[in-house]
Structure formats: structure tokens, C-alpha cells
Amino acid sequence: MSNAFMSNAFTSNACIDPATLVSADPAPRHKTVAVRVGSGKGAVTVGGGAPVVVQSMTNTDTADIPGTIAQVAALARAGSEIVRITVDRDEAAAAVPHIRDGLLKMGVHVPLVGDFHYIGHKLLAAHPACAEALDKYRINPGNVGFKDKKDRQFSAIVEEAIKHGKAVRIGANWGSLDQELLTTLMDANAASAQPLEARAVTREAMVRSALYSAERAEEIGLARDRIVLSAKVSAVQDLIAVYRMLAARSNYAIHLGLTEAGMGSKGIVASSAAMGILLQDGIGDTIRVSLTPEPGGDRTVEVTVAQELLQTMGFRTFVPLVAACPGCGRTTSTVFQELARDIQTFIRDEMPGWRARYPGVEALNVAVMGCIVNGPGESKHADIGISLPGTGETPAAPVFIDGEKAMTLRGPTIAADFKQLVIEYIEKRYGARSAAE
């Protein structure tokens, strides 16, 4: 580096011009009306400035009571704060109160949402115990009914919600959009002097479908603080556009989700890209990551992804963060990879118990690094971190606690020794806090 450059870049009286800085902070939260979902221990507030809520959905046959209870409980233990179940026929509706009772016996108080399509009005009327057991109803205005039946059947569901004091999510969906509304808008657009692209008209139809339905629900008597809106599509740019339009036109609480996101990394990337932008815009009061699981796969993965999205963006804290380097030619040993995986899995497995015993433990930062290049620096920034030896380095692993080098681990038990140090650190730091409180 030349002396001239050094002189210009690092002068003793150098200062930063605030006008040149770009804020990395998210936009202020879009102001929405708070909606209370559930009651008692499991009650959750959606909107009104409350923390963004994580929710999920079962893929069991709801008529399978033990199977649905098990999956709802697993989703709740993983951190889902609201769980939606399908109510598509009489057997499913009849099972709902038994599912609710079974969960309560297990000490699981998560709010349950009933997902209704086509015959929701009949099911709620025929199964009052189901209508009472659910904490929220989800209605899709595109398939609640058709032609002259549409308003009557929509009204019947809303009246049940009013009768039982339940919240309602009105969820328009790209795949089942109100065709009458879409046709009307398409015809008007075709007759316009400057017609828009069909995709833009479809976006408008999505937004209007949700807003018209919400306004109709209020006319029937459902309070605004009982209404949540969503407008789900499967393309990232469409989702961003639709939700920005929805937020600009109303103050209803908003549920975010990319429908038919897909499987594996594709679904995770698409959902994170779309919802990450909207959350940064201040839009969204509750989210679901709709992942297609592998055959026989773990349904709770969608909960983990939703939590990690919110946590990595700085909106909420759910579990301790484990920072780990990606590995390179300097880190040919798999020890650091195995240790990072084991620590992360261990933390997630222990979190349900830790939340009760160690208040604040979710804010813990752990670093597992693979060589000397960035290892010591990253470890110092963590609450507790280890820098494992890379290729050609001395077989020693310095451990840093609260920014200071505490010890050096050696030998074949480095991984087990560090794991024990993490446990001891949690007990010392957060156990003491629990005792004090």
C-alpha cells in the first residue's frame, strides 16, 4: 500500500460523513391491529407490534387423533406458536375436540387453527364442539362458495366465529383465486386504454379478494381485532408485490407465507428471500415456511427454518447461535464439522428444558472454528468459542470465554471436553440468573 494512499485513508483528523452512511436497520413495523389467538397459557398476540409469530401446519389426517396429537405436540415443542390442522370432512371435525383435549393432557397449550375449504360452513354448524375447540378459523375466499352461495356460506362461517369468539384468517391464494372477481378485473383491464399485464391484474385481484372479504366480515359483525389477512402466491416477486399492496391499503394483521415453496434448499431459499424482504420492509405479523418434506421427513423442519429466518434477521431470539466456518483446504479434519453439528443438535434438543431452567439462554453465542485464520477472532466475539487446529497446525484448541482465552484443549477428547464446557458455561451464567429471579 502506497504512503499516499495511507495518508489519505488514515489521517489523524479523519471523520465520517453521516450522509454517506446507509442504514441497515429494518423499516418501522407496519402498524396493524392486534389479534388475540387462543386463551390461557397458549394465547398468542398477532399484530399490533407484537413479536412476529411462528406457525406451522400438520400433514396428518386430522381424523387420526393420536397421529395428529403427536405431530402438533412435536411442532409446538420445536417452537411453533400456532398450529393449523385440516378440517375437511365430518370425521376430521369430530376429531378436533379430542385432539385439543389430548394436547392439554400433555401440557401442550398451542392454539389450533382449523383450515376450511368448500364445506366449512356445514362442518362448523354440524360440529359445535369443533367450532369451540379451535382457536381460529382459516377461510379461503376463493373456495368458500360459488355464485349465490358464496356470500351465504362465507357469512355462516363468520357468524360461527362471532358466536364462539374466534379469530379468522382470510387467506386468498393464487391457486384458488376468486374467478368471478378475476374475470371482472380482466374484462375491465382489456377495455382500458392502457391495459396492464395479466400478472399485474391477478395481483390486484388477490389483494381485492382479501380486502373485500375482510370488509364483508366486519359488516357481518366480526371485529377488526379478530381478522388476519394473507395473500399467498408461489413466486417470490409476486409475493413481495402483493403483500406490499396489501399493507399499503389496510391495517389488518398480516400472515406471511410463500405457498408451494417446494422441497429442501429450493423451498428454504425461496421462502427466506421473499419473506426476508417483506420483514425488512416492516411487513408481517406471523409467518409460516411451507416446505414440502422428504418422504417420511421431519415436519418440524419448517419451524426451525422460520425461527432461523427471524433470528438471523435480528427480529427474535429462539435458540443459541452456533457460528462455524465453512471449511477449506486448511481444515481437512472433520472434527470441527462434527463438533459444530453435535453442538447445534445438542442445543436444539435441550432447548425445551433449558427455556424453563435457564432464562435468557437463547441469546447465547457459540463459535466452532476450524483453523487459526479466523478461529481465534471469531471465538473471542462469541460467549464461548473454540478454534480447532487446521492442517499443519499444532494439535491444540484454544477456548475463549467472554472474549478471553480461558484454556487450551488437547488430545482425542477435545469435542467432548468443549461440549462439557458449554454446559458448565450455561449453568454458571444462566443458572445463576434463574436462581436470582
Side-chain angles (χ1 to χ4, degrees), residues 341-353:
R341 178 200 61 201
D342 291 348
I343 289 291
Q344 190 159 289
T345 301
F346 171 70
I347 286 172
R348 278 209 167 267
D349 290 345
E350 294 296 322
M351 273 306 293

Side-chain angles (χ1 to χ4, degrees), residues 273-361:
M275 290 193 285
I277 289 171
L278 290 166
L279 290 166
Q280 190 72 7
D281 283 348
I283 299 170
D285 300 302
T286 176
I287 68 170
R288 181 197 172 200
V289 176
S290 302
L291 295 179
T292 304
E294 298 284 347
D298 187 352
R299 189 68 168 182
T300 64
V301 171
E302 68 176 51
V303 179
T304 301
V305 174
Q307 287 183 328
E308 290 179 350
L309 172 61
L310 292 173
Q311 185 156 340
T312 54
M313 293 191 70
F315 293 115
R316 292 192 62 183
T317 304
F318 296 98
V319 296
L321 290 175
V322 179
C325 66
C328 66
R330 291 183 294 270
T331 56
T332 54
S333 168
T334 61
V335 174
F336 87 95
Q337 297 166 324
E338 294 164 357
L339 180 56
R341 178 200 61 201
D342 291 348
I343 289 291
Q344 190 159 289
T345 301
F346 171 70
I347 286 172
R348 278 209 167 267
D349 290 345
E350 294 296 322
M351 273 306 293
W354 283 358
R355 286 191 186 98
R357 297 200 309 273
Y358 305 121
V361 70

Side-chain angles (χ1 to χ4, degrees), residues 102-427:
L103 289 166
L104 292 178
K105 287 180 182 178
M106 296 172 64
V108 177
H109 298 271
V110 65
L112 295 177
V113 180
D115 198 50
F116 293 102
H117 299 278
Y118 305 110
I119 59 170
H121 60 296
K122 291 182 179 179
L123 294 174
L124 288 169
H127 300 273
C130 169
E132 179 56 40
L134 292 168
D135 296 291
K136 186 170 75 169
Y137 309 156
R138 189 266 180 161
I139 311 172
N140 182 340
N143 58 32
V144 74
F146 304 99
K147 298 188 181 297
D148 60 321
K149 294 181 180 179
K150 180 179 178 181
D151 185 65
R152 184 168 68 252
Q153 293 174 183
F154 177 82
S155 298
I157 297 176
V158 171
E159 286 165 1
E160 287 290 334
I162 295 169
K163 176 182 176 182
H164 294 282
K166 306 300 180 179
V168 173
R169 170 156 75 90
I170 297 172
N173 192 293
W174 193 268
S176 51
L177 186 55
D178 184 331
Q179 291 303 302
E180 290 181 67
L181 174 60
L182 180 59
T183 299
T184 298
L185 292 179
M186 285 291 187
D187 289 345
N189 182 62
S192 171
Q194 294 181 312
L196 302 172
E197 292 183 359
R199 202 171 195 87
V201 178
T202 305
R203 290 172 177 172
E204 177 66 22
M206 285 282 293
V207 174
R208 290 199 193 186
S209 178
L211 292 177
Y212 286 170
S213 299
E215 290 166 6
R216 178 60 184 137
E218 287 198 74
E219 288 175 2
I220 296 166
L222 188 64
R224 185 167 286 227
D225 65 1
R226 290 287 186 180
I227 299 173
V228 179
L229 296 187
S230 66
K232 291 188 174 183
V233 301
S234 57
V236 170
Q237 295 298 340
D238 288 320
L239 191 87
I240 294 167
V242 165
Y243 273 101
R244 283 174 172 170
M245 293 162 66
L246 193 62
R249 299 188 199 178
S250 78
N251 67 347
Y252 293 106
I254 290 178
H255 168 77
L256 294 184
L258 185 76
T259 191
E260 285 85 47
M263 182 180 286
S265 60
K266 186 269 179 185
I268 293 171
V269 170
S271 292
S272 299
M275 290 193 285
I277 289 171
L278 290 166
L279 290 166
Q280 190 72 7
D281 283 348
I283 299 170
D285 300 302
T286 176
I287 68 170
R288 181 197 172 200
V289 176
S290 302
L291 295 179
T292 304
E294 298 284 347
D298 187 352
R299 189 68 168 182
T300 64
V301 171
E302 68 176 51
V303 179
T304 301
V305 174
Q307 287 183 328
E308 290 179 350
L309 172 61
L310 292 173
Q311 185 156 340
T312 54
M313 293 191 70
F315 293 115
R316 292 192 62 183
T317 304
F318 296 98
V319 296
L321 290 175
V322 179
C325 66
C328 66
R330 291 183 294 270
T331 56
T332 54
S333 168
T334 61
V335 174
F336 87 95
Q337 297 166 324
E338 294 164 357
L339 180 56
R341 178 200 61 201
D342 291 348
I343 289 291
Q344 190 159 289
T345 301
F346 171 70
I347 286 172
R348 278 209 167 267
D349 290 345
E350 294 296 322
M351 273 306 293
W354 283 358
R355 286 191 186 98
R357 297 200 309 273
Y358 305 121
V361 70
E362 61 273 8
L364 176 72
N365 285 300
V366 180
V368 179
M369 306 304 293
C371 77
I372 201 170
V373 175
N374 292 316
E378 288 287 351
S379 297
K380 287 178 183 178
H381 289 304
D383 295 311
I384 178 168
I386 186 170
S387 179
L388 293 162
T391 303
E393 294 176 15
T394 302
V399 174
F400 297 82
I401 298 177
D402 294 329
E404 300 292 335
K405 183 177 177 181
M407 64 193 73
T408 299
L409 300 179
R410 293 181 172 84
T413 62
I414 286 177
D417 292 343
F418 182 68
K419 183 176 177 180
Q420 183 59 38
L421 288 172
V422 172
I423 295 171
E424 291 173 2
Y425 182 88
I426 290 171
E427 174 62 38

Side-chain angles (χ1 to χ4, degrees), residues 6 15 17 23 32 134 148 229 268 326 429:
M6 289 290 291
C15 62
D17 180 0
S23 174
T32 58
L134 292 168
D148 60 321
L229 296 187
I268 293 171
R429 178 172 175 180

